Amino acid sequence: MKRELLLRPIGVIRSPFSKPRGTPIQPTFAQHARGEVILDEHYSGALDDIEGFEHVWLLYWFDRCGPWRHKVVPYRDTVERGLFATRAPSRPNPIGLSVVRLVERRKNHLVVEGLDILDGTPLLDIKPYLPQVDAYPDSRAGWFGATSSARELADERFHLPELVRLSPREVVMRLGLRGCLETTARYLHRKLTEELLDADGTVAGAAAALELLSAFLEQTDFRAARAADEELAGRKQALVRIFRGAGGMSWEKL
Ligand SMILES: C[S@@+](CC[C@H](N)C(=O)[O-])C[C@H]1O[C@@H](n2cnc3c(N)ncnc32)[C@H](O)[C@@H]1O
């Protein structure tokens, strides 16, 4: 089996949603959410004949997800389920699929409705929705069929805290802590731990938080901050050591 595959996005999805919180959890709860699928011009000819279909499948990459776990509490449940028995966005290969209504094609643009997808999401593929082939309306639906939850919008349980996605410079600017890396690191640690612990309430969540934080510190370009504080290089080493040690279960000490 090949251990790695190369995927090339073929376009981008434009939607009204910039954050996970408040984004519909499935297209059926997003019927008026209109946006555009913008295919790279190179593939434009491959859209011919798509106009005849009322719905299309979009396959795309969940590019803003946190680390995957074997068990997750799905949006529409209160207990853990095996990841592959859910439609949670954080997965080993974070591929999403959504059936959206095709409103109009304009050359390499598709106007679509029913988006449960974040703005700027990389598009991997488009396929026509075939009701004769794709629909089994009377099929058993496991825990989803039994749930009484009526939730229609997402929260942030599967996502990386925004701070982790920002560049180091943006973090420093955002927090107004120019040159005060120790505080930055502590703040990040607290945010990450809180958010990941909130997400699943487990120590695995905290360990994942520390992993993210170490990775963040490793890739941080400390030069910007060094201008304001000559001691930062040494402090970085100390911080990385502290957080590495923290990975060994003593994270409460921080
Ligand atoms: C439960 S998933 C279902 C997506 C799709 N219909 C599926 O079943 O694969 C929908 C949620 O994924 C999240 N999401 C959408 N686009 C994303 C992206 N590019 N990166 C990370 N999360 C995303 C949003 O919070 C949205 O509410």
Side-chain angles (χ1 to χ4, degrees):
M1 184 176 74
K2 277 196 170 186
R3 298 200 64 81
E4 284 186 5
L5 298 169
L6 178 67
L7 284 175
R8 291 202 176 87
I10 58 167
V12 69
I13 298 166
R14 291 280 165 218
S15 93
F17 307 110
S18 59
K19 292 186 169 182
R21 182 175 293 277
T23 301
I25 57 176
Q26 286 296 340
T28 188
F29 309 126
Q31 287 179 10
H32 301 296
R34 186 179 273 225
E36 282 195 23
V37 175
I38 305 175
L39 209 64
D40 291 351
E41 283 193 22
H42 174 68
Y43 300 108
S44 199
L47 279 180
D48 290 351
D49 304 308
I50 199 88
E51 297 90 339
F53 294 89
E54 194 171 337
H55 289 87
V56 292
W57 289 104
L58 300 180
L59 287 109
Y60 50 92
W61 195 257
F62 288 118
D63 59 342
R64 276 153 273 180
C65 268
W68 76 277
R69 303 187 198 105
H70 292 88
K71 304 272 186 195
V72 296
V73 178
Y75 291 125
R76 280 214 161 190
D77 211 344
T78 49
V79 295
E80 286 193 332
R81 305 287 178 183
L83 173 73
F84 296 133
T86 77
R87 302 286 281 265
S90 46
R91 324 180 69 82
N93 293 310
I95 292 174
L97 83 165
S98 300
V99 161
V100 294
R101 195 169 84 78
L102 178 55
V103 179
E104 189 186 353
R105 173 194 171 188
R106 290 191 217 122
K107 234 177 101 210
N108 59 325
H109 289 208
L110 299 181
V111 179
V112 296
E113 270 179 0
L115 287 165
D116 59 345
I117 306 169
L118 294 181
D119 188 40
T121 295
L123 176 71
L124 300 178
D125 202 0
I126 301 173
K127 300 188 191 207
Y129 172 78
L130 307 175
Q132 300 86 339
V133 168
D134 291 336
Y136 297 88
D138 299 324
S139 209
R140 264 186 298 122
W143 64 264
F144 190 85
T147 184
S148 58
S149 164
R151 178 191 271 277
E152 296 191 356
L153 304 179
D155 53 27
E156 276 144 354
R157 73 186 70 184
F158 297 116
H159 296 85
L160 288 178
E162 195 195 358
L163 279 177
V164 177
R165 297 197 304 267
L166 297 176
S167 74
R169 182 183 291 272
E170 283 169 319
V171 172
V172 172
M173 297 308 280
R174 178 77 64 95
L175 299 176
L177 293 172
R178 213 181 285 263
C180 191
L181 261 186
E182 194 164 346
T183 319
T184 309
R186 279 178 188 280
Y187 177 81
L188 274 171
H189 169 265
R190 206 184 68 230
K191 283 291 289 175
L192 286 164
T193 309
E194 273 171 13
E195 297 206 21
L196 289 174
L197 274 178
D198 271 0
D200 70 359
T202 64
V203 175
L210 285 166
E211 231 168 73
L212 283 172
L213 182 59
S214 306
F216 179 85
L217 286 172
E218 288 287 7
Q219 58 171 275
T220 298
D221 175 0
F222 288 84
R223 267 171 305 178
R226 193 176 293 141
D229 186 342
E230 289 298 327
E231 294 167 26
L232 283 176
R235 281 205 214 161
K236 177 198 165 185
Q237 295 304 326
L239 279 170
V240 170
R241 270 200 306 278
I242 292 171
F243 284 106
R244 286 241 174 84
M249 292 306 296
S250 58
W251 59 275
E252 304 92 327
K253 278 195 288 191
L254 290 168

